[in-house]
Amino acid sequence: MFKSEKRRVEKILRNFLEQKEIPVPESFQWKPIPFSGEWGMSVSFFKAAAQEARSGKQVNVPERAGEIARMAADLISGEDEFSRVEAVQGYLNLYFAPDQFSRKVVDSVLAEGADFGSGEPKGERLMVEFSQPNTHKAFHVGHLRSAILGDAVCRILEFAGYDVVRANYYGDIGLHVIQWLWNYMKFHRGEEPPQDTTRWMGDLYAEAVKRLEENPEYEQEVRDLYARWDERDPEVVALWKKTREWSLKGFENLYQILDIEFDRYYANSMVEEQGKEMVQELIEKGIAEDLRPEDAVLVRLDDLLGLENEKYRVLVVLRSDGTALYQTLDLALAKLKFEEYDLDTSIYVVDVRQKLHFQQVWKTLEIAGYDWAKDCEHLSYELVNLPGNVVMASREGTVVLLEDLIREARARALEVVEEKNPSLASDEKEKVAKAVGLGAIKYPMLDRDNTRIVTFDWDTALDFNGQAAPYIQYAHVRANSILEKMEGPVPEALTPDYTLNPAEIELIERISRIPDEIQNAARDRKPLHLTNALYDLARSFNAFYRECPVLSAEDPVKSFRLRLVAAAKQTIANGLTSLGIGAPSVM
RNA sequence: GCCCCCGUAGCUCAAAUGGAUAGAGCACCGGACUUCUAAUCCGACGGUUGCAGGUUCGAAUCCUGCCGGGGGUACCA
């Protein structure tokens, strides 16, 4: 927003600085003016002054910056697009005429509608791999962060102008699957999953683990079953496929409830063979050492790179018995992704514990000559723990099941709707409860930095007050409510001919910042930037709501405010949508 | 040992990427529903940004060293 104004002023400043033989910065960093209650933009001259000082001139930097700012201010004062120009403490502050500025913001939101905040197409294709659930296991709250963060990042990237491929990568092979199958064949043969499929799959897995712990003599049976699987025994393979489908259907159901979609599903089993082939290739190229049968196949990364200190260490790419490891699969999957799609960047939303793993895999691929390896990016995030720093683990039984959390959140939200808005039709209440309950679940995973641990506790998860999604949703509802009561359509565009209330100025400013924050969030892969901006916007709307009557105002004021309310509602809705959170019209 | 995160108000977190006066929520205290939805708002309280140096005109932010917490570190995923 205001790119043309910025460019014009920059041109003037550049000429002025050159003329005065003051160092010209490479780029001007425009910032909003704090504490103003008036809209504008500012730029500082500390860098120019500091550069002068460094080049030998006898200058006091803050004083000199102030001097330059004052000279610049005198120069710009002639420009009529600014209502006020001032130099304060080394900053050049340019204020926009509030009436022109506010009209421009409101008009562009209403003209662009659901596209307001979106970026120009970038012509770049990114793949985001997120949510890597294991079949035959539970889906718990610990798994939620990758799913929610990944989904939000995809939505933000798309809105920002990137071409995004959403990839899911599920684990459908491994010891846990064999253990599950063993338990099923021995104790549950013929059973069909109940409604709550994912819970049942998880329960059977936990049961298998428990049985094996209590009766070590069963280990042999599991080993035998693993052998049958390795030989692709038709009965075992058929059962594996059938039961895997149960898990996948259960996951699909959860994704649907969470409103998360994927374009491409990858599975461990799909890349096992290619992975082994790539290991063979690495051996032939002399990158990997084949020490079988005594030892595994490994890549000594630090040695290959001639590093003194331990950095990449040693990557085992194949077990000594020739079976594949996680890293074997990831070598092949990375390649498959670039082959299938012509990617500019391949992003992995995976928890921080796997940082070294990815560095190793990608460095190995780079050494092997795959130049796209440098375009792989690990979007790492911290875990979701339970109070007392307890990690959620299926084996330990220290989990909060996703189904339970969703059900509780929706039930709690429904209670509140019943209380606040008893006259709503019951299906409306259900819809509201879903949007509010899910929003409350998603928000804590998005409003803090990815590098921070989230501690899950029921009280916080089910608290709908304060800094949380329902707060933002509520602002949307209030805006909608005013528009509902408005007679006729949204008024035609107009320039406000009255002195705007500070609350209106603030609200307009918050709206105008959203497009930049979308870009920031996309660039850093941090939904946090957007949640912050949206929360501030909602807060400004509530202040406006209190300070500025809309429906009872006289007409020129009323018309402009109605347009402002419509713009605020649209912007909040666009922001929530980019986070994967619903924007209900009533609650 | 080596590597990666985290440390900001009693608690949970921000801080526009090195800039003007470090901000919110929760909790606690005091107020506001006959008025566009009180899931809201207003006020009060609350800070040596873990510690010590350094770089800089300017540091919560960058560098070094400590302290405290978490995680990773060759055939788990």
Side-chain angles (χ1 to χ4, degrees):
Chain A
M1 207 161 249
F2 303 106
K3 279 190 192 131
S4 60
E5 287 85 344
K6 284 176 187 169
R7 266 201 292 273
R8 279 197 49 208
V9 173
E10 284 178 12
K11 205 173 162 192
I12 295 170
L13 289 178
R14 215 166 259 132
N15 284 336
F16 152 74
L17 292 173
E18 275 168 16
Q19 223 172 29
K20 296 274 177 187
E21 292 180 354
I22 298 166
V24 182
E26 279 177 32
S27 65
F28 290 90
Q29 295 221 329
W30 292 101
K31 301 183 175 250
I33 305 167
F35 332 114
S36 60
E38 199 178 335
W39 209 89
M41 57 191 203
S42 73
V43 68
S44 74
F45 294 96
F46 293 103
K47 286 206 167 59
Q51 219 170 315
E52 281 188 327
R54 268 195 291 277
S55 69
K57 274 193 183 175
Q58 284 291 327
V59 295
N60 172 305
V61 171
E63 270 176 28
R64 178 61 176 160
E67 202 181 325
I68 299 171
R70 276 192 298 280
M71 289 191 286
D74 287 344
L75 194 67
I76 308 285
S77 312
E79 304 295 312
D80 58 4
E81 62 201 304
F82 303 107
S83 58
R84 200 152 70 81
V85 175
E86 62 176 15
V88 181
Q89 298 186 57
Y91 283 79
L92 172 65
N93 292 340
L94 306 176
Y95 294 92
F96 289 107
D99 55 344
Q100 297 300 326
F101 168 65
S102 48
R103 170 168 182 167
K104 187 166 181 172
V105 173
V106 170
D107 286 0
S108 50
V109 176
L110 295 183
E112 292 174 44
D115 290 330
F116 176 76
S118 65
E120 296 293 312
K122 303 258 192 299
E124 275 181 56
R125 178 179 291 165
L126 318 183
M127 174 178 278
V128 181
E129 176 201 300
F130 64 103
S131 194
Q132 298 86 352
N134 284 322
T135 65
H136 304 84
K137 274 193 182 180
F139 198 117
H140 59 71
V141 171
H143 297 127
L144 204 53
R145 196 163 182 182
S146 174
I148 290 171
L149 177 62
D151 176 59
V153 167
C154 286
R155 288 168 183 266
I156 289 166
L157 287 169
E158 271 164 9
F159 202 53
Y162 295 92
D163 179 12
V164 178
V165 183
R166 302 157 155 264
N168 183 280
Y169 181 37
Y170 59 90
D172 62 342
I173 51 176
L175 181 61
H176 77 276
V177 177
I178 303 301
Q179 289 171 332
W180 191 98
L181 290 174
W182 163 81
N183 184 45
Y184 180 82
M185 290 168 85
K186 193 173 176 75
F187 300 100
H188 297 273
R189 188 179 281 272
E191 283 179 30
E192 293 283 323
Q195 190 75 22
D196 204 346
T197 308
T198 308
R199 176 193 303 274
W200 182 75
M201 295 297 290
D203 286 348
L204 258 59
Y205 172 69
E207 187 182 287
V209 171
K210 193 165 164 240
R211 286 203 162 108
L212 289 165
E213 271 169 9
E214 288 171 359
N215 307 285
E217 65 273 18
Y218 286 146
E219 289 290 347
Q220 187 56 46
E221 293 180 20
V222 173
R223 272 197 292 276
D224 292 346
L225 188 60
Y226 214 145
R228 286 177 67 192
W229 155 259
D230 271 338
E231 291 156 12
R232 296 296 182 266
D233 179 316
E235 189 206 356
V236 181
V237 170
L239 184 63
W240 166 65
K241 282 187 175 164
K242 183 177 169 187
T243 54
R244 177 180 66 171
E245 212 47 48
W246 292 343
S247 269
L248 294 178
K249 271 182 85 171
F251 294 160
E252 210 42 52
N253 183 42
L254 288 174
Y255 290 137
Q256 206 180 340
I257 291 169
L258 291 168
D259 197 14
I260 292 175
E261 288 177 4
F262 295 95
D263 300 312
R264 179 75 172 105
Y265 289 83
Y266 293 111
N268 290 162
S269 61
M270 289 167 53
V271 283
E272 194 177 12
E273 288 312 309
Q274 293 101 305
K276 289 179 181 174
E277 285 165 22
M278 284 181 76
V279 169
Q280 195 53 44
E281 179 197 321
L282 291 174
I283 295 170
E284 283 159 16
K285 284 184 176 170
I287 295 167
E289 293 172 48
D290 188 354
L291 304 175
R292 288 176 294 177
E294 293 78 24
D295 210 338
V297 180
L298 45 85
V299 180
R300 299 181 196 276
L301 284 160
D302 287 337
D303 289 353
L304 287 170
L305 296 165
L307 298 179
E308 298 277 320
N309 296 334
E310 293 179 48
K311 182 167 184 194
Y312 295 102
R313 299 167 189 259
V314 174
L315 178 66
V316 176
V317 289
L318 204 61
R319 287 199 187 87
S320 47
D321 65 3
T323 56
L325 287 139
Y326 189 53
Q327 30 270 42
T328 319
L329 310 180
D330 254 327
L331 287 166
L333 181 60
K335 188 178 169 199
L336 182 60
K337 287 173 171 178
F338 280 91
E339 281 171 356
E340 285 190 336
Y341 301 89
D342 187 20
L343 301 177
D344 291 290
T345 307
S346 182
I347 300 173
Y348 292 69
V349 184
V350 180
D351 78 66
V352 66
R353 292 176 301 188
Q354 287 168 49
K355 199 173 208 80
L356 178 61
H357 161 78
F358 283 120
Q359 284 178 345
Q360 291 176 321
V361 168
W362 297 334
K363 187 54 79 177
T364 300
L365 289 164
E366 195 185 312
I367 294 170
Y370 297 106
D371 59 356
W372 43 256
K374 64 180 183 339
D375 299 319
C376 292
E377 177 185 322
H378 181 200
L379 201 179
S380 74
Y381 59 87
E382 264 293 357
L383 303 181
V384 178
N385 285 348
L386 294 166
N389 200 28
V390 175
V391 179
M392 287 198 203
S394 308
R395 297 183 67 95
E396 318 284 331
T398 52
V399 295
V400 175
L401 290 184
L402 184 54
E403 298 95 310
D404 291 334
L405 175 59
I406 292 173
R407 189 174 348 85
E408 281 301 318
R410 287 174 70 162
R412 172 90 182 85
L414 191 59
E415 262 176 51
V416 183
V417 185
E418 295 279 4
E419 178 197 325
K420 305 277 179 189
N421 217 335
S423 60
L424 275 186
S426 63
D427 59 331
E428 276 294 312
K429 285 178 188 160
E430 289 288 346
K431 272 172 66 182
V432 172
K434 184 186 174 188
V436 172
L438 287 177
I441 290 171
K442 289 183 177 187
Y443 198 82
M445 311 263 170
L446 300 174
D447 86 323
R448 69 191 60 207
D449 220 329
N450 302 336
T451 54
R452 291 194 103 95
I453 296 170
V454 172
T455 302
F456 178 88
D457 76 274
W458 283 101
D459 286 346
T460 313
L462 299 180
D463 184 1
F464 298 157
N465 295 316
Q467 209 167 22
Y471 179 91
I472 299 169
Q473 291 170 320
Y474 186 63
H476 181 262
V477 165
R478 281 178 142 183
N480 183 64
S481 179
I482 292 174
L483 297 173
E484 292 278 312
K485 291 192 166 64
M486 159 184 74
E487 285 158 22
V490 175
E492 294 294 310
L494 75 160
T495 307
D497 63 348
Y498 62 99
T499 306
L500 291 167
N501 184 294
E504 289 175 286
I505 304 259
E506 172 84 5
L507 175 58
I508 290 160
E509 179 176 327
R510 297 294 183 187
I511 291 172
S512 74
R513 286 193 199 175
I514 295 295
D516 281 347
E517 294 300 344
I518 293 275
Q519 294 300 325
N520 289 343
R523 181 199 58 215
D524 295 345
R525 287 70 158 117
K526 286 184 179 184
L528 161 73
H529 292 318
L530 182 55
T531 54
N532 278 345
L534 257 193
Y535 177 75
D536 287 340
L537 170 55
R539 220 151 48 89
S540 302
F541 181 81
N542 279 326
F544 162 82
Y545 186 90
R546 169 174 47 85
E547 296 289 334
C548 306
V550 178
L551 295 173
S552 61
E554 293 302 318
D555 198 18
V557 177
K558 180 176 176 178
S559 291
F560 180 74
R561 285 186 178 164
L562 281 171
R563 286 178 65 78
L564 178 53
V565 170
K569 182 194 162 186
Q570 182 73 63
T571 308
I572 293 171
N574 293 0
L576 286 173
T577 303
S578 298
L579 293 170
I581 295 174
S585 14
V586 290
M587 58 191 274

